Amino acid sequence: MCRAVRPVAARRLRSRAGFRQSEGPRYVSLPTEPRTPASAPDALDADVLIVGYGPVGQSLAALLGVAGHRVTVCERRLTRYETPRAGHFDHEIMRIFQSLGIADDVRRIAEPARLYEFLDPDGAVVSRLPREWTAPSGWDASYHFYQPELEDVLDSAVHKMSTVDVRFGAAVVDLRQKAGYVVATLADGSVVTARYAVGADGANSAVRALCDIGTEDLGFRGDWLVVDVRPRPGTPALDIPDTCQVLNPARPNHMGRVAQRYFRWEFMLVDGDDPRELVRPERVWELLEPWVGPQDAELIRQTVYEFRSIVADTFRRGSVLLAGDAAHVMPPFLGQGMSSGIRDAATLGWMFDLVLAGAAGPELLDLYTASRRPHVLDYIEESVRIGTVVCETDPVRAAQRREDLRSATELPAPFEPPIGAGFHDGDPLAGHLAVQPLLRTNDGKTERSDDVLGRGFTLFSLLDLDPVTRAAVADLEQAIGLRSIVVGEAGVPEEGAALSDWLKEAGVVAVLVRPDFYVFGTAQGLSAIPGLLGSLRASLSLV
Ligand SMILES: O=C(O)CCc1cccc(O)c1
């Protein structure tokens, strides 16, 4: 169960002013005035303070809670934020949910997203991109969901963790770094101490400001009216495409399913639009008139958002890290905003596991920015590239873009770039997402490999290991809990051949997978495995 809010000794504040720029940086990166010795982490309120309880903060809290770390979450709102924002996640995120034991609950509220289409202004299909490829994670490629329902599922998972304490109405107004820990001051004057803090507090992150972390604006800007709609009970099913972009230069728009019972429309603001006028229900119904009317559906929300493309200069400063929108913001055209944040949580999760256990030095956390930032930049750039096509308002150029899409002869490959660092250089699969195989267990069942093996670094091999390799594996099993499994003819039978085919196609016999499901490296023969494990040891700053 979630612990009740613990009374925190109110300490005299040196500053209640928060992050007013005129007062200079609040964030002190050099260790000063240690009050709690770094060697006494139990005296701190938490191992990790998470600021913000959206899906990224929730996912990180659950990942850390599953591993038994002590977590305090501070959310400045008084309750959860009940509006839908994100509406799509992909197979990799479902695999992360699987690791939290909530995949079945998530499947109940999410539905597979099967098609992404571009339409012309009259509604005719210009281009159709099926989303039904065999995704490596062993789940459907893409899902739609209604965000408050996903947050319910994540919140229930967090509440099962006895080491996680969630506080609402807890705005962090000051954040200081000491030797080996951080001190956060809340608006009510109370203080939370933790070894690390993570700002998962959204695009206007207080933590980012308190740490004086700058941002880079990658230049995309567009105001869009976002409208969420729920059909009234008993009305005929709405005939709305799964996800589509209407390439209409007079008013670009998006529409699609959000989940079983919700639909979303987005309309770009064009010259002369007044945002206050556009959100009036009568005006919204006028815009929705070609598809749905007030007799059939109710408006859940209508709001004008500015879509932007922004990345923080670094995702780490000392003992403070950024995740989710606090670290990066992208336009929604790829549906990757929340997924990118949950990837941050998955990477931070295993890095904290190693650092908090004392297995790796704190310098491992530098790998967080190096691994995540370039990856997120790739997603931002691709989202902007699609946005440039969607948002075209010049009729001639828009016609040309539609023609380009119409005449493309090949479907684009799924956009799944490699991470930026934290893998074995020069390796064919390193940095890419790993396959999750289905295994046939002794009792005749078929199970996903993560359910059999649990979370952690994993060596999958198609050949039985020799004594030298076994010794190298045992060494890392001791240090970081590495698991190894022989799959296929020489070991645990695979249902289908996803893993075997993937490795054979790459010309390798083994793959070493990080706990966030990215490939660390591969081995072409058994004799290469000890070297690969040595490379992992070096890259993790093991102590
Ligand atoms: O990927 C999806 O299914 C939704 C992507 C998307 C595209 C355009 C606007 C938007 O809000 C989401």
Side-chain angles (χ1 to χ4, degrees):
M1 287 297 292
C2 197
R3 274 188 281 146
V5 175
R6 282 171 296 169
V8 183
R11 295 179 196 159
R12 178 170 278 283
L13 297 184
R14 266 170 299 181
S15 163
R16 299 279 296 275
F19 39 95
R20 270 186 281 137
Q21 294 301 319
S22 57
E23 295 201 0
R26 303 266 114 228
Y27 180 92
V28 182
S29 57
L30 288 175
T32 55
E33 304 171 57
R35 278 184 298 182
T36 308
S39 57
D42 285 349
L44 302 172
D45 296 315
D47 297 320
V48 180
L49 162 67
I50 299 172
V51 183
Y53 196 58
V56 175
Q58 289 178 314
S59 300
L60 182 60
L63 286 162
L64 295 175
V66 159
H69 303 302
R70 295 179 312 129
V71 178
T72 297
V73 183
C74 288
E75 165 57 54
R76 73 181 171 82
R77 292 173 189 278
L78 297 176
T79 57
R80 290 208 334 259
Y81 191 42
E82 285 296 334
T83 52
R85 286 148 287 150
H88 168 264
F89 64 81
D90 64 29
H91 56 95
E92 179 187 353
I93 305 310
M94 195 56 155
R95 190 172 176 185
I96 295 169
F97 293 150
Q98 179 195 344
S99 76
L100 291 170
I102 58 172
D104 286 343
D105 295 328
V106 172
R107 257 157 73 169
R108 268 190 279 281
I109 57 114
E111 69 176 16
R114 307 220 183 268
L115 201 56
Y116 191 122
E117 292 171 296
F118 294 93
L119 308 184
D120 75 10
D122 299 324
V125 175
V126 171
S127 169
R128 178 168 274 167
L129 310 177
R131 289 169 142 179
E132 298 194 80
W133 65 86
T134 312
S137 310
W139 292 97
D140 282 298
S142 264
Y143 294 85
H144 285 150
F145 69 101
Y146 183 64
Q147 185 166 340
E149 293 178 345
L150 179 68
E151 292 196 24
D152 281 346
V153 172
L154 286 165
D155 185 51
S156 301
V158 170
H159 273 74
K160 290 190 183 119
M161 317 279 170
S162 60
T163 58
V164 181
D165 170 14
V166 182
R167 303 177 187 186
F168 287 95
V172 172
V173 295
D174 191 68
L175 190 57
R176 287 167 190 265
Q177 300 210 37
K178 308 286 181 179
Y181 66 106
V182 294
V183 182
T185 303
L186 310 189
D188 66 0
S190 62
V191 165
V192 179
T193 55
R195 282 180 71 186
Y196 293 97
V198 178
D201 51 346
N204 298 318
S205 169
V207 171
R208 194 182 65 221
L210 287 163
C211 293
D212 264 351
I213 296 178
T215 55
E216 187 182 344
D217 186 341
L218 296 153
F220 186 92
R221 259 172 199 263
D223 286 332
W224 284 67
L225 170 68
V226 179
V227 183
D228 284 298
V229 161
R230 175 170 41 209
R232 297 187 190 282
T235 51
L238 285 183
D239 184 18
I240 301 298
D242 226 29
T243 295
C244 77
Q245 311 292 359
V246 185
L247 303 178
N248 177 4
R251 182 174 309 278
N253 86 274
H254 158 83
M255 63 181 150
R257 302 172 71 87
V258 174
Q260 289 98 335
R261 288 171 295 113
Y262 303 92
F263 295 84
R264 178 170 292 173
W265 275 264
E266 295 178 355
F267 300 92
M268 193 171 111
L269 270 63
V270 292
D271 281 350
D273 278 334
D274 173 354
R276 283 163 309 180
E277 149 69 14
L278 222 51
V279 295
R280 284 179 40 242
E282 305 75 43
R283 184 71 185 107
V284 172
W285 286 120
E286 267 172 38
L287 287 165
L288 295 181
E289 199 266 333
W291 304 283
V292 64
Q295 68 287 354
D296 293 327
E298 57 176 320
L299 299 177
I300 300 174
R301 65 150 190 172
Q302 64 268 20
T303 186
V304 170
Y305 267 132
E306 188 180 34
F307 294 164
R308 301 205 52 188
S309 54
I310 291 175
V311 65
D313 296 338
T314 178
F315 294 3
R316 175 190 185 202
R317 180 147 300 157
S319 301
V320 183
L321 300 107
L322 300 179
D325 286 3
H328 42 79
V329 173
M330 65 187 76
F333 307 108
L334 258 184
Q336 281 293 335
M338 185 193 80
S339 293
S340 298
I342 293 180
R343 284 186 198 104
D344 297 340
T347 300
L348 271 180
W350 69 259
M351 290 186 174
F352 277 138
D353 284 345
L354 293 182
V355 173
L356 292 171
E363 60 275 22
L364 173 63
L365 296 172
D366 284 333
L367 205 52
Y368 172 61
T369 302
S371 183
R372 294 292 314 131
R373 192 172 183 277
H375 193 245
V376 153
L377 273 171
D378 282 344
Y379 275 104
I380 295 178
E381 279 164 17
E382 181 65 3
S383 304
V384 169
R385 192 187 67 75
I386 298 173
T388 310
V389 175
V390 173
C391 300
E392 183 58 71
T393 52
D394 177 272
V396 177
R397 280 202 300 265
Q400 183 58 52
R401 294 203 197 280
R402 292 198 298 271
E403 199 38 49
D404 292 346
L405 280 169
R406 222 178 251 125
S407 56
T409 50
E410 281 184 26
L411 287 177
F415 186 77
E416 283 170 351
I419 50 171
F423 50 79
H424 192 54
D425 270 343
D427 185 298
L429 301 180
H432 290 272
L433 266 182
V435 162
Q436 176 178 206
L438 289 173
L439 301 178
R440 247 178 278 142
T441 57
N442 284 341
D443 51 3
K445 286 198 193 128
T446 298
E447 293 202 46
R448 292 185 167 87
S449 63
D450 296 352
D451 291 338
V452 176
L453 298 167
R455 213 172 98 213
F457 284 91
T458 309
L459 179 74
F460 290 95
S461 169
L462 298 181
L463 303 178
D464 202 6
L465 304 187
D466 55 39
V468 176
T469 310
R470 271 200 213 116
V473 168
D475 196 30
L476 273 185
E477 190 184 335
Q478 271 274 304
I480 59 164
L482 171 72
R483 295 86 40 89
S484 82
I485 180 168
V486 179
V487 175
E489 282 152 29
V492 181
E494 192 182 356
E495 180 74 40
L499 182 89
S500 317
D501 286 353
W502 176 55
L503 297 187
K504 284 177 189 160
E505 210 170 290
V508 299
V509 299
V511 59
L512 179 55
V513 181
R514 306 184 344 167
D516 53 12
F517 315 127
Y518 284 91
V519 172
F520 177 78
T522 57
Q524 289 184 349
L526 287 183
S527 61
I529 292 178
L532 180 64
L533 298 180
S535 164
L536 175 66
R537 182 177 268 285
S539 112
L540 293 181
S541 314
L542 293 191
V543 290

